Amino acid sequence: MSGYNFDLPSKATPEVVTERERLADEACRALVRAGIPAYRGDLDEDSGGRPGAHVRVDPLADGGVLVDWNTQGELAAAVVDLLERGVDPSHLPREIRHFEAVQTCMRDAVLGILASAGFQVEKADAHSYGKAVQVKAFTH
């Protein structure tokens, strides 16, 4: 298999990852202080499916600190079930439209809360990270 040349994304340096870890902790703390359920998903192996703001560090060089919103498992499971059965994209079921609305509203709320708390934030690249928020820096 030596003939294959895969371009794998490079990882961030240990120093960059350490800085991202600190930034992720501060962002998580700011969300909790605002009353938003938030947790560091990359540190808690039992967090899969837990509702709230999922704060994580992406170790890729162009990654960073990301915040995704997890809904209650019941809503997520209903959406997955509908998608597995197949849906007409021009007439999405109410549950899927509701799920998308929740994701968008919570992303916008997280953006506003973190910006107000002194973080530099933006919508993450939707192609790579969906409706995540990317936390760039803490401006104090």
Side-chain angles (χ1 to χ4, degrees):
M1 292 205 163
S2 61
Y4 297 103
N5 185 11
F6 294 106
D7 286 334
L8 297 175
S10 60
K11 299 258 184 172
T13 66
E15 295 80 18
V16 168
V17 171
T18 298
E19 178 59 25
R20 289 177 184 171
E21 296 286 348
R22 184 190 64 74
L23 184 59
D25 286 342
E26 290 182 28
C28 192
R29 195 169 18 264
L31 291 168
V32 169
R33 286 183 68 203
I36 301 293
Y39 58 93
R40 287 288 310 278
D42 51 347
L43 298 179
D44 183 2
E45 292 181 16
D46 294 331
S47 65
R50 186 169 148 192
H54 172 226
V55 182
R56 62 187 169 91
V57 172
D58 185 336
L60 296 179
D62 62 349
V65 175
L66 299 161
V67 183
D68 297 300
W69 185 259
N70 285 338
T71 63
Q72 191 69 269
E74 181 181 345
L75 178 57
V79 169
V80 168
D81 183 53
L82 285 167
L83 292 172
E84 285 176 345
R85 288 191 274 155
V87 295
D88 177 358
S90 64
H91 298 296
L92 292 175
R94 183 191 58 77
E95 291 89 350
I96 293 176
R97 292 191 318 269
H98 176 60
F99 179 84
E100 285 296 316
V102 168
Q103 294 295 316
T104 300
C105 290
M106 294 312 297
R107 180 204 54 212
D108 294 346
V110 167
L111 276 166
I113 290 166
L114 289 178
S116 176
F119 292 86
Q120 179 187 351
V121 292
E122 62 186 39
K123 294 176 186 175
D125 174 49
H127 179 71
S128 299
Y129 301 110
K131 294 208 186 273
V133 170
Q134 187 164 19
V135 183
K136 298 286 205 172
F138 184 52
T139 59
H140 303 280

mmCIF file of all heavy atoms in Angstrom, residues 60-89:
data_model
loop_
_atom_site.group_PDB
_atom_site.id
_atom_site.type_symbol
_atom_site.label_atom_id
_atom_site.label_comp_id
_atom_site.label_asym_id
_atom_site.label_seq_id
_atom_site.Cartn_x
_atom_site.Cartn_y
_atom_site.Cartn_z
ATOM 1 N N LEU A 60 -7.345 19.538 14.840
ATOM 2 C CA LEU A 60 -6.736 19.800 13.532
ATOM 3 C C LEU A 60 -6.150 21.212 13.492
ATOM 4 O O LEU A 60 -6.612 22.105 14.200
ATOM 5 C CB LEU A 60 -7.763 19.619 12.424
ATOM 6 C CG LEU A 60 -8.321 18.203 12.263
ATOM 7 C CD1 LEU A 60 -9.348 18.161 11.147
ATOM 8 C CD2 LEU A 60 -7.210 17.195 12.021
ATOM 9 N N ALA A 61 -5.147 21.405 12.660
ATOM 10 C CA ALA A 61 -4.463 22.693 12.579
ATOM 11 C C ALA A 61 -5.425 23.842 12.293
ATOM 12 O O ALA A 61 -5.305 24.918 12.871
ATOM 13 C CB ALA A 61 -3.365 22.638 11.519
ATOM 14 N N ASP A 62 -6.407 23.613 11.417
ATOM 15 C CA ASP A 62 -7.360 24.678 11.104
ATOM 16 C C ASP A 62 -8.651 24.551 11.913
ATOM 17 O O ASP A 62 -9.631 25.219 11.624
ATOM 18 C CB ASP A 62 -7.659 24.722 9.607
ATOM 19 C CG ASP A 62 -8.300 23.439 9.091
ATOM 20 O OD1 ASP A 62 -8.326 22.443 9.834
ATOM 21 O OD2 ASP A 62 -8.771 23.439 7.943
ATOM 22 N N GLY A 63 -8.647 23.710 12.913
ATOM 23 C CA GLY A 63 -9.818 23.517 13.771
ATOM 24 C C GLY A 63 -9.948 24.645 14.774
ATOM 25 O O GLY A 63 -9.807 25.804 14.437
ATOM 26 N N GLY A 64 -10.194 24.312 16.005
ATOM 27 C CA GLY A 64 -10.329 25.325 17.037
ATOM 28 C C GLY A 64 -11.280 24.860 18.116
ATOM 29 O O GLY A 64 -11.434 23.664 18.352
ATOM 30 N N VAL A 65 -11.933 25.812 18.747
ATOM 31 C CA VAL A 65 -12.924 25.520 19.773
ATOM 32 C C VAL A 65 -14.298 25.657 19.124
ATOM 33 O O VAL A 65 -14.605 26.680 18.515
ATOM 34 C CB VAL A 65 -12.787 26.478 20.968
ATOM 35 C CG1 VAL A 65 -13.907 26.244 21.978
ATOM 36 C CG2 VAL A 65 -11.425 26.304 21.629
ATOM 37 N N LEU A 66 -15.093 24.610 19.255
ATOM 38 C CA LEU A 66 -16.406 24.576 18.619
ATOM 39 C C LEU A 66 -17.484 24.323 19.664
ATOM 40 O O LEU A 66 -17.251 23.593 20.632
ATOM 41 C CB LEU A 66 -16.450 23.476 17.566
ATOM 42 C CG LEU A 66 -15.433 23.673 16.439
ATOM 43 C CD1 LEU A 66 -15.190 22.371 15.715
ATOM 44 C CD2 LEU A 66 -15.909 24.741 15.486
ATOM 45 N N VAL A 67 -18.640 24.933 19.449
ATOM 46 C CA VAL A 67 -19.794 24.711 20.317
ATOM 47 C C VAL A 67 -20.955 24.276 19.432
ATOM 48 O O VAL A 67 -21.375 25.010 18.538
ATOM 49 C CB VAL A 67 -20.186 25.981 21.103
ATOM 50 C CG1 VAL A 67 -21.348 25.677 22.048
ATOM 51 C CG2 VAL A 67 -18.999 26.546 21.866
ATOM 52 N N ASP A 68 -21.442 23.055 19.676
ATOM 53 C CA ASP A 68 -22.607 22.510 18.985
ATOM 54 C C ASP A 68 -23.763 22.469 19.978
ATOM 55 O O ASP A 68 -23.545 22.404 21.185
ATOM 56 C CB ASP A 68 -22.363 21.065 18.526
ATOM 57 C CG ASP A 68 -21.246 20.939 17.524
ATOM 58 O OD1 ASP A 68 -21.345 21.547 16.462
ATOM 59 O OD2 ASP A 68 -20.276 20.220 17.819
ATOM 60 N N TRP A 69 -24.984 22.447 19.464
ATOM 61 C CA TRP A 69 -26.140 22.299 20.335
ATOM 62 C C TRP A 69 -26.698 20.897 20.186
ATOM 63 O O TRP A 69 -26.970 20.439 19.080
ATOM 64 C CB TRP A 69 -27.223 23.320 20.007
ATOM 65 C CG TRP A 69 -28.346 23.223 20.995
ATOM 66 C CD1 TRP A 69 -29.546 22.611 20.813
ATOM 67 C CD2 TRP A 69 -28.320 23.680 22.339
ATOM 68 N NE1 TRP A 69 -30.282 22.684 21.971
ATOM 69 C CE2 TRP A 69 -29.552 23.335 22.922
ATOM 70 C CE3 TRP A 69 -27.381 24.360 23.113
ATOM 71 C CZ2 TRP A 69 -29.870 23.645 24.235
ATOM 72 C CZ3 TRP A 69 -27.701 24.665 24.421
ATOM 73 C CH2 TRP A 69 -28.931 24.311 24.964
ATOM 74 N N ASN A 70 -26.875 20.202 21.295
ATOM 75 C CA ASN A 70 -27.509 18.884 21.306
ATOM 76 C C ASN A 70 -28.908 19.020 21.886
ATOM 77 O O ASN A 70 -29.078 19.544 22.985
ATOM 78 C CB ASN A 70 -26.718 17.890 22.160
ATOM 79 C CG ASN A 70 -25.457 17.426 21.480
ATOM 80 O OD1 ASN A 70 -25.339 17.486 20.265
ATOM 81 N ND2 ASN A 70 -24.502 16.965 22.256
ATOM 82 N N THR A 71 -29.883 18.536 21.141
ATOM 83 C CA THR A 71 -31.261 18.522 21.637
ATOM 84 C C THR A 71 -31.456 17.298 22.539
ATOM 85 O O THR A 71 -30.594 16.422 22.601
ATOM 86 C CB THR A 71 -32.268 18.443 20.479
ATOM 87 O OG1 THR A 71 -32.076 17.209 19.787
ATOM 88 C CG2 THR A 71 -32.139 19.616 19.530
ATOM 89 N N GLN A 72 -32.589 17.254 23.190
ATOM 90 C CA GLN A 72 -32.961 16.062 23.960
ATOM 91 C C GLN A 72 -32.985 14.868 23.002
ATOM 92 O O GLN A 72 -33.341 15.006 21.830
ATOM 93 C CB GLN A 72 -34.334 16.296 24.586
ATOM 94 C CG GLN A 72 -34.764 15.297 25.612
ATOM 95 C CD GLN A 72 -33.946 15.404 26.886
ATOM 96 O OE1 GLN A 72 -32.936 14.735 26.999
ATOM 97 N NE2 GLN A 72 -34.378 16.220 27.820
ATOM 98 N N GLY A 73 -32.623 13.714 23.459
ATOM 99 C CA GLY A 73 -32.531 12.525 22.624
ATOM 100 C C GLY A 73 -33.810 12.187 21.882
ATOM 101 O O GLY A 73 -33.771 11.694 20.753
ATOM 102 N N GLU A 74 -34.952 12.462 22.469
ATOM 103 C CA GLU A 74 -36.236 12.133 21.841
ATOM 104 C C GLU A 74 -36.417 12.863 20.512
ATOM 105 O O GLU A 74 -36.827 12.265 19.512
ATOM 106 C CB GLU A 74 -37.379 12.493 22.796
ATOM 107 C CG GLU A 74 -38.744 12.174 22.261
ATOM 108 C CD GLU A 74 -39.851 12.580 23.238
ATOM 109 O OE1 GLU A 74 -39.560 12.834 24.421
ATOM 110 O OE2 GLU A 74 -40.997 12.645 22.784
ATOM 111 N N LEU A 75 -36.076 14.155 20.471
ATOM 112 C CA LEU A 75 -36.217 14.917 19.235
ATOM 113 C C LEU A 75 -35.198 14.444 18.198
ATOM 114 O O LEU A 75 -35.540 14.236 17.029
ATOM 115 C CB LEU A 75 -36.053 16.414 19.493
ATOM 116 C CG LEU A 75 -36.126 17.324 18.264
ATOM 117 C CD1 LEU A 75 -37.441 17.145 17.509
ATOM 118 C CD2 LEU A 75 -35.921 18.775 18.670
ATOM 119 N N ALA A 76 -33.962 14.263 18.613
ATOM 120 C CA ALA A 76 -32.929 13.804 17.679
ATOM 121 C C ALA A 76 -33.278 12.435 17.106
ATOM 122 O O ALA A 76 -33.123 12.195 15.902
ATOM 123 C CB ALA A 76 -31.575 13.770 18.381
ATOM 124 N N ALA A 77 -33.778 11.534 17.937
ATOM 125 C CA ALA A 77 -34.133 10.187 17.469
ATOM 126 C C ALA A 77 -35.288 10.235 16.473
ATOM 127 O O ALA A 77 -35.293 9.501 15.478
ATOM 128 C CB ALA A 77 -34.496 9.293 18.653
ATOM 129 N N ALA A 78 -36.264 11.100 16.711
ATOM 130 C CA ALA A 78 -37.394 11.226 15.785
ATOM 131 C C ALA A 78 -36.917 11.711 14.419
ATOM 132 O O ALA A 78 -37.369 11.223 13.379
ATOM 133 C CB ALA A 78 -38.442 12.184 16.354
ATOM 134 N N VAL A 79 -35.983 12.650 14.416
ATOM 135 C CA VAL A 79 -35.454 13.175 13.157
ATOM 136 C C VAL A 79 -34.661 12.102 12.422
ATOM 137 O O VAL A 79 -34.826 11.905 11.213
ATOM 138 C CB VAL A 79 -34.604 14.441 13.413
ATOM 139 C CG1 VAL A 79 -33.827 14.845 12.174
ATOM 140 C CG2 VAL A 79 -35.499 15.581 13.883
ATOM 141 N N VAL A 80 -33.817 11.384 13.141
ATOM 142 C CA VAL A 80 -33.033 10.313 12.516
ATOM 143 C C VAL A 80 -33.959 9.260 11.923
ATOM 144 O O VAL A 80 -33.752 8.796 10.792
ATOM 145 C CB VAL A 80 -32.050 9.688 13.532
ATOM 146 C CG1 VAL A 80 -31.448 8.399 12.998
ATOM 147 C CG2 VAL A 80 -30.951 10.678 13.890
ATOM 148 N N ASP A 81 -35.000 8.897 12.657
ATOM 149 C CA ASP A 81 -35.956 7.903 12.167
ATOM 150 C C ASP A 81 -36.613 8.364 10.864
ATOM 151 O O ASP A 81 -36.727 7.599 9.905
ATOM 152 C CB ASP A 81 -37.015 7.627 13.235
ATOM 153 C CG ASP A 81 -37.992 6.549 12.805
ATOM 154 O OD1 ASP A 81 -37.540 5.450 12.424
ATOM 155 O OD2 ASP A 81 -39.215 6.820 12.834
ATOM 156 N N LEU A 82 -37.040 9.617 10.825
ATOM 157 C CA LEU A 82 -37.666 10.152 9.612
ATOM 158 C C LEU A 82 -36.684 10.155 8.442
ATOM 159 O O LEU A 82 -37.039 9.788 7.319
ATOM 160 C CB LEU A 82 -38.178 11.569 9.863
ATOM 161 C CG LEU A 82 -39.451 11.680 10.681
ATOM 162 C CD1 LEU A 82 -39.676 13.116 11.121
ATOM 163 C CD2 LEU A 82 -40.635 11.170 9.870
ATOM 164 N N LEU A 83 -35.446 10.570 8.694
ATOM 165 C CA LEU A 83 -34.453 10.621 7.620
ATOM 166 C C LEU A 83 -34.109 9.233 7.097
ATOM 167 O O LEU A 83 -33.919 9.046 5.894
ATOM 168 C CB LEU A 83 -33.196 11.339 8.098
ATOM 169 C CG LEU A 83 -33.363 12.840 8.362
ATOM 170 C CD1 LEU A 83 -32.120 13.403 9.026
ATOM 171 C CD2 LEU A 83 -33.692 13.582 7.078
ATOM 172 N N GLU A 84 -34.055 8.260 8.001
ATOM 173 C CA GLU A 84 -33.770 6.881 7.579
ATOM 174 C C GLU A 84 -34.879 6.323 6.697
ATOM 175 O O GLU A 84 -34.626 5.525 5.802
ATOM 176 C CB GLU A 84 -33.554 5.981 8.793
ATOM 177 C CG GLU A 84 -32.219 6.194 9.463
ATOM 178 C CD GLU A 84 -32.043 5.357 10.719
ATOM 179 O OE1 GLU A 84 -33.048 4.808 11.246
ATOM 180 O OE2 GLU A 84 -30.897 5.253 11.189
ATOM 181 N N ARG A 85 -36.114 6.733 6.949
ATOM 182 C CA ARG A 85 -37.249 6.271 6.139
ATOM 183 C C ARG A 85 -37.318 6.995 4.804
ATOM 184 O O ARG A 85 -37.991 6.530 3.889
ATOM 185 C CB ARG A 85 -38.555 6.448 6.905
ATOM 186 C CG ARG A 85 -38.693 5.439 8.040
ATOM 187 C CD ARG A 85 -40.071 5.454 8.616
ATOM 188 N NE ARG A 85 -40.147 6.497 9.638
ATOM 189 C CZ ARG A 85 -41.254 7.120 10.014
ATOM 190 N NH1 ARG A 85 -42.398 6.839 9.429
ATOM 191 N NH2 ARG A 85 -41.245 8.016 10.943
ATOM 192 N N GLY A 86 -36.638 8.129 4.719
ATOM 193 C CA GLY A 86 -36.637 8.916 3.491
ATOM 194 C C GLY A 86 -37.691 10.003 3.529
ATOM 195 O O GLY A 86 -38.826 9.753 3.938
ATOM 196 N N VAL A 87 -37.306 11.191 3.133
ATOM 197 C CA VAL A 87 -38.238 12.324 3.125
ATOM 198 C C VAL A 87 -38.078 13.089 1.818
ATOM 199 O O VAL A 87 -37.032 13.063 1.171
ATOM 200 C CB VAL A 87 -37.984 13.282 4.315
ATOM 201 C CG1 VAL A 87 -38.275 12.609 5.633
ATOM 202 C CG2 VAL A 87 -36.583 13.837 4.292
ATOM 203 N N ASP A 88 -39.138 13.761 1.460
ATOM 204 C CA ASP A 88 -39.121 14.640 0.292
ATOM 205 C C ASP A 88 -38.532 15.977 0.743
ATOM 206 O O ASP A 88 -39.119 16.658 1.583
ATOM 207 C CB ASP A 88 -40.555 14.820 -0.220
ATOM 208 C CG ASP A 88 -40.658 15.785 -1.385
ATOM 209 O OD1 ASP A 88 -39.626 16.362 -1.801
ATOM 210 O OD2 ASP A 88 -41.786 15.953 -1.886
ATOM 211 N N PRO A 89 -37.365 16.365 0.218
ATOM 212 C CA PRO A 89 -36.724 17.605 0.672
ATOM 213 C C PRO A 89 -37.574 18.850 0.436
ATOM 214 O O PRO A 89 -37.408 19.850 1.119
ATOM 215 C CB PRO A 89 -35.437 17.682 -0.142
ATOM 216 C CG PRO A 89 -35.298 16.413 -0.873
ATOM 217 C CD PRO A 89 -36.581 15.665 -0.784
#
